[in-house]
Amino acid sequence: MKEKLIIGTRKSLLALWQSRHIAERLKKEYPSCEVVLKEIVTKGDKIQDVPLAQIGGKGLFTKEIEEELTEGTIDLAVHSLKDMPTVLPRGLCLAAITERVASGDAFVSNNYESFAALPSGAPLGTSSLRRKAQLLAARGDLNIVDLRGNVDTRLRKLDEGKMDAVILAAAGLMRLGYAGRIREILPADICMPAVGQGALAIECRIDRRDVRDMLAFLNHKETKQCTDAERAFLRLIAGGCQVPIGVHAEIEAGRMEIRAIIASLDGKKAVRDSIEGNPLAAESLGRVLSERMVAAGGQEILLEIL
């Protein structure tokens, strides 16, 4: 067992909360091990005034951290799984996926009780193409405003009156103590979550068996199976690109159900489908659903975007 572990993390409040949470779990499991954080600035942190889709897809918040993993200056990294590309850099792996906290998207507003209560033309903030497409599909009369920044920055912009509401991941709000600001968790038929949303990913080098063994206790079996299915679905379609795709897997009574949507940017076209099966075949189920939806019209939608 290593005597010291260095965790690479972004500097945002949410990233630091997540990394400190994992650090505390490691200290509890291994009381004699020193666990420290190393803060790293990523490209996604540096560029705050341009929509994410214009500067790249997934990986904007992980590349610099992964470079330090490869170089060996840190032992592990803690990420929001939804920020992770479906194909990792050579030599790296996801050593553990933590139990999912909440997968849904939260409606936050100071003046309106629900998404349905927003008046026509109301400015609604989000940085996600996935959310934008689905929100427009449900309410084409709204003014979707691009909203970048960390959770606290986005809430501040809402409080300054720059928009009537914002949509944020429920898990992030809960982790930072903002659960009381959630007016509504949007149902999946209005806004299907992102791949891996609500779970944390612990990344390390494949050749560091000592580190991987120490991280194994953090892995949550059912969440790992569900997110493996979701990531397999996305990997076949778009890899790490920013695309309007939502997919969510759940396990109930020993059966896995995966639901997904592929939508056009304006929300006017969408393909929805679902599949059920054995959780042990999670990745296969994700691939089958992906292939089926691409053949049912998803390919045409994606070609307009990619």
Side-chain angles (χ1 to χ4, degrees), residues 68-129:
E68 296 219 21
L69 270 177
T70 300
E71 293 166 3
T73 54
I74 59 175
D75 297 301
L76 64 140
V78 179
H79 309 279
S80 292
L81 182 56
K82 69 183 180 66
D83 292 336
M84 297 295 291
T86 54
V87 178
L88 301 181
R90 186 174 182 178
L92 301 183
C93 67
L94 297 185
I97 305 296
T98 66
E99 184 173 6
R100 188 152 22 201
V101 174
S103 61
D105 289 306
F107 174 84
V108 182
S109 176
N110 294 329
N111 300 312
Y112 300 98
E113 290 296 326
S114 67
F115 175 66
L118 283 173
S120 181
L124 174 63
T126 178
S127 64
S128 163
L129 292 183

Side-chain angles (χ1 to χ4, degrees), residues 9-10 18 22 34 36 59 68 78 82 92 103 112-113 124-126 134 146 151 155 216 221 229 239 252:
T9 178
R10 293 170 58 209
Q18 293 172 168
I22 296 301
E34 180 186 5
V36 299
E68 296 219 21
V78 179
K82 69 183 180 66
L92 301 183
S103 61
Y112 300 98
E113 290 296 326
L124 174 63
T126 178
Q134 295 186 79
D146 190 72
V151 172
L155 290 175
K221 181 181 176 182
E252 188 171 339

Side-chain angles (χ1 to χ4, degrees), residues 30-289:
Y30 309 107
S32 63
C33 180
E34 180 186 5
V35 184
V36 299
L37 304 187
K38 181 177 181 180
E39 297 179 9
I40 300 167
V41 178
T42 68
K43 182 179 179 181
D45 296 311
K46 295 175 183 177
I47 305 174
Q48 291 289 325
D49 57 350
V50 181
L52 287 175
Q54 293 182 20
I55 56 176
K58 291 179 181 291
L60 286 171
F61 299 106
T62 61
K63 183 175 181 291
E64 289 80 3
I65 297 174
E66 289 174 330
E67 287 173 350
E68 296 219 21
L69 270 177
T70 300
E71 293 166 3
T73 54
I74 59 175
D75 297 301
L76 64 140
V78 179
H79 309 279
S80 292
L81 182 56
K82 69 183 180 66
D83 292 336
M84 297 295 291
T86 54
V87 178
L88 301 181
R90 186 174 182 178
L92 301 183
C93 67
L94 297 185
I97 305 296
T98 66
E99 184 173 6
R100 188 152 22 201
V101 174
S103 61
D105 289 306
F107 174 84
V108 182
S109 176
N110 294 329
N111 300 312
Y112 300 98
E113 290 296 326
S114 67
F115 175 66
L118 283 173
S120 181
L124 174 63
T126 178
S127 64
S128 163
L129 292 183
R130 169 189 62 84
R131 291 179 184 138
K132 180 178 180 179
Q134 295 186 79
L135 295 172
L136 286 174
R139 290 283 309 273
D141 60 319
L142 296 177
N143 174 24
I144 307 297
V145 178
D146 190 72
L147 177 65
R148 289 290 314 280
N150 299 320
V151 172
D152 49 317
T153 301
R154 299 185 199 193
L155 290 175
R156 186 176 67 250
K157 290 179 179 178
L158 172 67
D159 293 339
E160 290 171 351
K162 295 181 178 178
M163 52 209 72
D164 286 337
V166 297
I167 305 296
L168 297 167
L173 290 167
M174 293 173 179
R175 285 169 175 147
L176 288 177
Y178 292 128
R181 299 205 60 172
I182 298 174
R183 292 294 187 102
E184 175 187 25
I185 303 293
L186 297 178
D189 59 353
I190 289 179
C191 199
M192 190 76 68
V195 169
Q197 190 161 312
L200 302 182
I202 318 301
E203 187 179 23
C204 71
R205 282 169 45 166
I206 294 173
D207 62 1
R208 293 299 306 273
R209 172 57 67 179
D210 54 342
V211 176
R212 291 171 62 189
D213 287 346
M214 291 180 72
L215 298 174
F217 80 97
L218 293 166
N219 196 58
H220 186 258
K221 181 181 176 182
E222 285 197 359
T223 302
K224 175 70 162 53
Q225 290 174 325
C226 288
T227 56
D228 279 352
E230 294 165 12
R231 286 170 63 79
F233 177 94
L234 182 62
R235 186 182 300 118
L236 187 67
I237 290 181
C241 297
Q242 280 273 320
V243 288
I245 290 174
V247 56
H248 183 61
E250 292 181 294
I251 297 174
E252 188 171 339
R255 297 284 290 176
M256 175 179 284
E257 180 185 23
I258 313 172
R259 294 182 292 164
I261 181 173
I262 303 172
S264 61
L265 291 175
D266 59 9
K268 293 181 179 179
K269 290 184 284 186
V271 176
R272 299 175 186 267
D273 201 352
S274 64
I275 193 171
E276 290 188 16
N278 190 324
L280 296 177
E283 292 194 40
S284 177
L285 288 170
R287 288 194 297 268
V288 169
L289 181 60

